[in-house]
Amino acid sequence: MQFSSIALLLISAIQASNITLTRRANDGCRPLIQGVVYDCGASGDVLEIRRATMNPSQPQPGRPIEFRIQGYLREEVTFGSRVVVNGKLDSFEVVNFEEDICQGAQQRKLPIRCPLKPPTFDFRYSVMVPLFAPSGHYEVVANAINQNTKQIFNVMAEFDL
């Protein structure tokens, strides 16, 4: 399921009553990759995202996307940390899942090992956009909390295929 891999990547990883999954890029989010990926988290998040790259900057069907996220991890992230990923295509929900970050990373063979230890966070991953991915406007929100219910990150991406 390639779409969920893309979404999970916005880092790998919640549904908590005090965390919203409906942030938009114009809701005060900080651009990480101009016009595509935004950090919608708070200043005290467990992961301070300092740099993000995506190549190419606009996904294309049948071609790989390479991601890199670098930042400062303020505390350890272990099993029990959760991520909720919600993805929409032209306002229709196409993916919505919640999973343990560490278990999900193992199952999807993502290049992270738990526990994630502070301070340096450097994540690289490449995923193929399916050749027959439907065209339209995509929005993906990934929101994560750690084992102590503290927000790790809240990232949003939007792009057109």
Side-chain angles (χ1 to χ4, degrees):
M1 189 174 212
Q2 292 292 329
F3 188 82
S4 65
S5 295
I6 293 170
L8 180 62
L9 181 27
L10 298 170
I11 207 160
S12 276
I14 24 229
Q15 192 164 13
S17 59
N18 62 337
I19 298 175
T20 180
L21 292 177
T22 57
R23 302 285 307 256
R24 310 271 297 175
N26 58 1
D27 285 345
C29 300
R30 179 176 64 94
L32 293 171
I33 300 171
Q34 193 61 42
V36 181
V37 180
Y38 300 87
D39 180 354
C40 300
S43 61
D45 284 358
V46 172
L47 176 61
E48 177 187 326
I49 301 172
R50 293 189 173 164
R51 184 167 188 253
T53 58
M54 184 171 88
N55 188 19
S57 61
Q58 286 294 326
Q60 300 170 8
R63 309 202 99 191
I65 304 173
E66 295 177 12
F67 293 92
R68 184 172 187 187
I69 298 172
Q70 297 170 292
Y72 175 77
L73 198 57
R74 291 185 171 92
E75 47 188 85
E76 189 172 275
V77 175
T78 65
F79 286 87
S81 299
R82 310 287 301 164
V83 65
V84 169
V85 178
N86 179 270
K88 294 180 180 180
L89 170 59
D90 293 330
S91 299
F92 294 100
E93 188 171 88
V94 293
V95 67
N96 187 8
F97 68 91
E98 178 178 354
E99 70 183 8
D100 184 284
I101 293 173
C102 295
Q103 289 176 348
Q106 285 179 344
Q107 291 169 351
R108 298 172 197 279
K109 299 181 180 4
L110 294 175
I112 61 174
R113 301 274 185 257
C114 285
L116 300 174
K117 299 215 181 255
T120 304
F121 182 82
D122 191 353
F123 177 77
R124 296 175 192 224
Y125 190 66
S126 180
V127 64
M128 181 66 73
V129 177
L131 183 59
F132 299 106
S135 62
H137 183 75
Y138 288 81
E139 292 180 17
V140 179
V141 176
N143 197 340
I145 59 169
N146 71 5
Q147 61 281 0
N148 300 316
T149 68
K150 188 171 180 184
Q151 183 166 283
I152 300 170
F153 63 81
N154 182 339
V155 178
M156 184 263 203
E158 58 183 355
F159 55 88
D160 294 312
L161 278 184

